[in-house]
Amino acid sequence: QVQLVESGGGLVQPGGSLRLSCVASGSEFSIYGMAWYRQAPGKQRESVAGISRGGSAGYTDSVKGRFTISRDNAKNTVYLEMNSLKPEDTAVYYCNAIRGAVNYWGKGTLVTVSS
């Protein structure tokens, strides 16, 4: 079992920045691939960024060049650095841990981009 707790969300103006954190507990963090997803009001949950056990990262097109995912295995934490935020980035952001068919989710943190 893995427990995931996200933090760092909040209200930010367009063009601003936020850093989300997700702390994992309960199992060996380094064996999991990690990802961030988001779900905007009235929309389906979508993948935002992922990082492999070895540190290889991938992003959905809409956030490339603006968001950066990273992980610190010593701290059992994955981060999402978000820059140049846009109103369309407004969503609940969820942390995900995956290994094979096993999938864990956090409860999410709300990011609101508005002036």
Side-chain angles (χ1 to χ4, degrees):
Q1 281 279 19
V2 175
Q3 293 79 44
L4 302 172
V5 179
E6 304 96 334
S7 63
L11 174 64
V12 62
Q13 291 187 343
S17 299
L18 282 175
R19 188 175 82 155
L20 306 183
S21 300
C22 170
V23 179
S25 60
S27 188
E28 189 176 348
F29 175 74
S30 64
I31 68 174
Y32 290 89
M34 301 298 297
W36 287 95
Y37 286 71
R38 67 186 179 187
Q39 187 166 18
K43 295 188 177 182
Q44 289 189 330
R45 191 174 297 189
E46 64 172 352
S47 174
V48 175
I51 187 165
S52 70
R53 293 177 295 169
S56 297
Y59 304 89
T60 192
D61 285 347
S62 62
V63 308
K64 283 180 181 177
R66 300 190 297 123
F67 291 11
T68 303
I69 188 171
S70 61
R71 66 188 297 163
D72 185 337
N73 289 340
K75 296 182 178 179
N76 287 3
T77 303
V78 62
Y79 303 97
L80 186 67
E81 186 76 35
M82 305 186 295
N83 298 313
S84 302
L85 282 161
K86 304 175 181 180
E88 51 263 43
D89 294 318
T90 294
V92 177
Y93 284 71
Y94 297 91
C95 180
N96 171 258
I98 185 167
R99 184 174 186 234
V102 179
N103 229 329
Y104 298 100
W105 293 92
K107 293 184 178 181
T109 185
L110 176 63
V111 172
T112 303
V113 185
S114 176
S115 55

